Amino acid sequence: MHNHKVSGKQIVSYASFCLGNLGHSAFYGVMSTYFIIFITSGMFNGLNQSVADKLIGLITGLMVLVRIIELVIDPILGNVVDNTKTRWGKFKPWILIGTVVSAALLLILFTGIFGLAQQNWILFAILFVLIYIAFDVFYSLSDVSYWGMVPALSEDSHARGIYTSLGAFSGTIGWNGLPIIVVPLVTGVTYAVTGKHEEGAPGWFAFAAVISALAIICALIVCFGTKEKHNIIRNSAKQKTTLRQVFGAIFHNDQILWPSLAYLLYSLAAVITNGVLFYMYKFVIGKPNDFWVVGVIATIIGFCISPSFPFLNKYIPRKWLFIAGQTCMVLAYVLFIFGHNNVFLMDLGLVLFNINFALLVTVLTLTDAIEYGQLKIGQRNEAVVLAVRPMIDKFTGAVSNALVGYVAIVAGMTGSATAADMTSKDINTFNMMALYIPLALAVLSIVVFLSKVTLSEKKHAQVIENLKSKLAQGEIEKKTSVDTGTSVDTGTKEVTIYAPADGELMQMSSVVDEDGKPFPGKGFAIKPSSGQIYAPFDGTIKFTFGTKHAFEIVSQNGLQVVVHVGLGTVNLRGEGFETFYDDGQTVKKDDKLLEFDRDLALNNGYKDTIVTFYTQPGRIQNSGAIQAGKDIKHGEKVVDVKFK
């Protein structure tokens, strides 16, 4: 909509943040997927098989337990980061410390704690517990800091969107690049060291060392190439969402509950299958050297899916994009089950498996559920949106780790076993756990989304309009009122409201929406001459609607006002809107808060009228006369409001 002039420093910042997740995501892939493979195939070579299998079971069980405990400790780690104050900011120290320490601990784990299992497996098990817990805490500190850094890099929502999408994009490359290099690197180094053509311990250590070095280099690039803006985050000490709050919000809001369940089913299927694809190529198909194809196909499809989503979503509701992606997943399982002896069918299955919009659809649906929850139960749970999806990913990652270790043991895919050692019973056991169960999960996710997820784009627009009307009429003021930090005062207070935009003043009674209905509530409107919106007084931004077309600002003495930009513009779903503040941020009168594309609104049949109304009209005792028809500039006085 606007010509965003990007400076050289901004380009460096974007590129540095992007590269950060290349190493960070690859490192996560090593610890979550390939460490299990190393444990089952190389760590306990030379040990009695029954002892080795017990240790594999112990370690995978522990990894699951730590992952589930991590769900509880992540908010605590978030508070540690939030309360950090250094000359380098609060995020960079933890990104670097977390990455370096977790990389060092991972390398120790990839040595089998220096071969201790062969000497004393009980001592090995005790040390493994301590090292793995420490490793996971430091990795989580790095992870929380990397993504938590985005709001501190820019106050511009457009720029934040770029940072997030670049991070996700490079993360796809980091994650999907691992299957391309893992077998050549592990077998090549093992052959160079031992003279054996296999995936041996020296090769696995080299693989971990290369990715750990990449993660540290990428962490350094983030630290040196980005700059935290200390004046942006006004509300950094706000309370983190606890696990109890997350679950409470999920179960009280059905349109958080059902999309979350559908995503949980999808995520379980995806991580289980990703975790066992290496075993499929090595033990079922008998072609471990072809495993690189998995990474190449996933990377190519990943390049296409995220960029295509906004375009497709203009013509196809996101519900059907979710269903289409899950249908592709189901077809992929059918091809994996019946076509594993055919290279073309396997490759086609991999293509279909990676065509998926579940993540994007879920995040957008949960975001819309904020307003749905506010309308239905009077709660806004912004932090939950940030917490639910990563929480599900961590839980499904834990389940995947457990299942992969279990599959490897019961299907005889441990130690020095090869495809030739597999019996039909082993293959059937593998297929049941790795393909049939995930296939059922993928089908269930379709059923849940089709039958229970009702919050479409169209319904969300209706929710916003209902919420707007209720706010304007003061019907939900008790449920959505805020603590403004002021002492209780039953006397009359006064606020001067200044024009939030340039244009012509209008009486509220003359405002008619795009459907010809009068706009409810008390306040005033402006027929704008430009698309810039400014703060109407000193105050705090309470919240912004997910569609960016309206925000609530609370004055220092407690007057609650919504600035509603355009009529019908909720249907643009944020397109053409750009905010320049954080929710929770304190702003001054005439600070620039928002830009919107008036032409885009008008060309889509909507109105560009800017309405300023009171969310607690019952408190208004006297609002001065509005000079309708007067041309006004932003920052000029409109009206004095007396309220109790």
Side-chain angles (χ1 to χ4, degrees):
M1 94 181 205
H2 302 288
N3 295 319
H4 294 283
K5 293 179 181 176
V6 183
S7 65
K9 282 185 179 178
Q10 187 74 59
I11 290 170
V12 169
S13 185
Y14 283 149
S16 300
F17 187 80
C18 176
L19 284 169
N21 203 31
L22 179 73
H24 186 69
S25 182
F27 187 78
Y28 180 74
V30 172
M31 69 179 253
S32 65
T33 300
Y34 295 95
F35 183 52
I36 291 280
I37 295 173
F38 164 63
I39 288 168
T40 61
S41 64
M43 184 183 271
F44 303 121
N45 284 352
L47 267 186
N48 177 284
Q49 190 64 45
S50 65
V51 175
D53 283 351
K54 281 176 186 170
L55 280 175
I56 291 168
L58 173 72
I59 287 171
T60 51
L62 170 78
M63 290 172 74
V64 173
L65 188 63
V66 170
R67 274 290 135 79
I68 290 170
I69 292 170
E70 189 186 302
L71 299 178
V72 182
I73 66 166
D74 264 8
I76 299 168
L77 298 180
N79 273 329
V80 169
V81 173
D82 253 352
N83 293 320
T84 298
K85 290 183 174 66
T86 74
R87 55 182 290 199
W88 301 285
K90 62 183 177 183
F91 301 107
K92 291 180 183 180
W94 290 117
I95 289 174
L96 194 56
I97 292 167
T99 303
V100 170
V101 174
S102 58
L105 293 173
L106 186 73
L107 290 181
I108 292 172
L109 293 175
F110 263 92
T111 64
I113 314 182
F114 308 108
L116 182 61
Q118 277 77 4
Q119 316 304 320
N120 185 332
W121 68 266
I122 296 174
L123 182 60
F124 166 85
I126 294 167
L127 280 177
F128 183 91
V129 171
L130 299 174
I131 292 171
Y132 189 79
I133 289 172
F135 157 77
D136 213 61
V137 166
F138 279 96
Y139 173 80
S140 294
L141 281 167
S142 166
D143 189 51
V144 166
S145 300
Y146 176 79
W147 291 109
M149 190 183 194
V150 172
L153 295 177
S154 178
E155 61 189 342
D156 177 358
S157 66
H158 174 77
R160 288 180 185 177
I162 293 174
Y163 278 117
T164 304
S165 58
L166 284 173
F169 183 69
S170 66
T172 301
I173 299 170
W175 177 273
N176 291 324
L178 295 176
I180 300 173
I181 66 165
V182 59
V183 174
L185 181 58
V186 174
T187 53
V189 172
T190 302
Y191 179 71
V193 174
T194 67
K196 295 178 182 176
H197 289 284
E198 63 181 18
E199 293 99 28
W204 280 114
F205 180 79
F207 173 66
V210 167
I211 302 303
S212 294
L214 175 67
I216 291 169
I217 291 166
C218 290
L220 286 166
I221 290 171
V222 172
C223 291
F224 286 107
T226 61
K227 186 176 181 181
E228 292 178 36
K229 297 182 178 179
H230 299 285
N231 61 328
I232 302 304
I233 305 297
R234 311 283 185 183
N235 203 25
S236 61
K238 64 186 175 186
Q239 186 182 11
K240 290 286 175 184
T241 307
T242 64
L243 198 67
R244 182 179 176 182
Q245 288 171 315
V246 172
F247 280 116
I250 290 173
F251 289 111
H252 286 116
N253 184 333
D254 63 303
Q255 293 306 298
I256 291 180
L257 174 65
W258 295 117
S260 296
L261 179 59
Y263 180 76
L264 172 67
L265 294 166
Y266 149 76
S267 185
L268 270 174
V271 297
I272 290 167
T273 303
N274 275 317
V276 297
L277 276 174
F278 177 80
Y279 295 89
M280 180 186 281
Y281 273 79
K282 182 174 181 179
F283 296 107
V284 180
I285 304 171
K287 294 180 178 178
N289 291 329
D290 289 351
F291 183 60
W292 62 272
V293 173
V294 173
V296 171
I297 290 174
T299 303
I300 292 170
I301 301 300
F303 264 61
C304 304
I305 290 299
S306 294
S308 70
F309 181 82
F311 174 77
L312 291 171
N313 195 210
K314 279 189 174 182
Y315 306 99
I316 305 169
R318 62 181 179 226
K319 181 172 190 170
W320 296 109
L321 288 174
F322 183 95
I323 302 302
Q326 291 308 98
T327 304
C328 286
M329 194 182 209
V330 169
L331 292 173
Y333 284 121
V334 173
L335 290 174
F336 291 155
I337 291 165
F338 295 106
H340 62 256
N341 294 320
N342 184 306
V343 174
F344 172 76
L345 291 179
M346 278 299 295
D347 290 350
L348 179 59
L350 289 169
V351 169
L352 290 170
F353 185 74
N354 285 286
I355 296 175
N356 211 289
F357 300 102
L359 173 61
L360 292 163
V361 170
T362 303
V363 169
L364 289 169
T365 306
L366 291 180
T367 303
D368 284 355
I370 293 172
E371 279 89 24
Y372 175 85
Q374 186 179 3
L375 181 66
K376 186 181 178 188
I377 54 176
Q379 281 182 262
R380 280 189 72 85
N381 299 105
E382 290 99 332
V384 169
V385 173
L386 299 174
V388 169
R389 201 269 311 159
M391 184 186 75
I392 291 171
D393 285 344
K394 285 184 175 176
F395 175 75
T396 56
V399 174
S400 170
N401 285 345
L403 209 60
V404 169
Y406 177 75
V407 167
I409 293 170
V410 298
M413 297 176 176
T414 59
S416 55
T418 65
D421 300 319
M422 295 299 106
T423 65
S424 59
K425 184 186 175 186
D426 292 335
I427 300 295
N428 287 336
T429 301
F430 176 84
N431 284 344
M432 175 58 70
M433 304 300 292
L435 299 176
Y436 295 132
I437 289 176
L439 169 60
L441 293 170
V443 171
L444 272 175
S445 74
I446 294 175
V447 172
V448 169
F449 213 95
L450 267 177
S451 62
K452 293 294 187 180
V453 180
T454 59
L455 190 57
S456 63
E457 294 92 326
K458 191 173 180 181
K459 182 169 179 179
H460 179 247
Q462 293 168 352
V463 165
I464 294 286
E465 290 305 292
N466 291 340
L467 191 58
K468 172 206 74 179
S469 298
K470 284 178 177 286
L471 279 169
Q473 293 162 5
E475 290 182 18
I476 53 176
E477 62 183 62
K478 288 181 181 176
K479 289 184 178 180
T480 56
S481 62
V482 294
D483 178 7
T484 60
T486 57
S487 58
V488 176
D489 181 2
T490 55
T492 300
K493 293 170 274 190
E494 187 171 335
V495 171
T496 300
I497 301 181
Y498 301 88
D502 300 339
E504 180 186 328
L505 271 175
M506 299 170 62
Q507 294 282 6
M508 194 74 157
S509 57
S510 65
V511 178
V512 178
D513 68 19
E514 79 283 5
D515 295 324
K517 297 175 184 175
F519 199 101
K522 296 179 181 178
F524 63 89
I526 294 174
K527 175 67 179 169
S529 56
S530 75
Q532 281 77 42
I533 311 297
Y534 302 84
F537 44 69
D538 295 353
T540 302
I541 305 292
K542 183 191 169 189
F543 68 80
T544 308
F545 287 116
T547 42
K548 296 185 186 176
H549 77 299
F551 60 87
E552 183 171 26
I553 180 169
V554 183
S555 72
Q556 291 171 331
N557 59 356
L559 181 68
Q560 296 177 216
V561 167
V562 165
V563 179
H564 191 284
V565 182
L567 302 173
T569 45
V570 59
N571 296 293
L572 292 173
R573 302 197 60 74
E575 187 179 357
F577 288 85
E578 186 176 347
T579 55
F580 301 101
Y581 59 83
D582 292 316
D583 280 354
Q585 181 174 323
T586 301
V587 296
K588 292 290 186 184
K589 174 188 82 92
D590 218 28
D591 281 354
K592 185 176 175 180
L593 300 181
L594 187 145
E595 284 187 14
F596 84 109
D597 190 334
R598 293 169 59 226
D599 291 336
L600 181 67
L602 295 169
N603 291 339
N604 276 278
Y606 308 127
K607 295 186 177 182
D608 61 357
T609 312
I610 297 162
V611 184
T612 303
F613 66 86
Y614 317 118
T615 64
Q616 297 178 319
R619 295 176 63 196
I620 307 300
Q621 291 188 318
N622 183 25
S623 181
I626 305 296
Q627 292 179 272
K630 176 187 174 184
D631 284 333
I632 197 163
K633 296 288 185 187
H634 66 85
E636 291 181 6
K637 177 180 172 179
V638 175
V639 68
D640 289 320
V641 179
K642 291 181 180 178
F643 65 103
K644 57 186 178 183

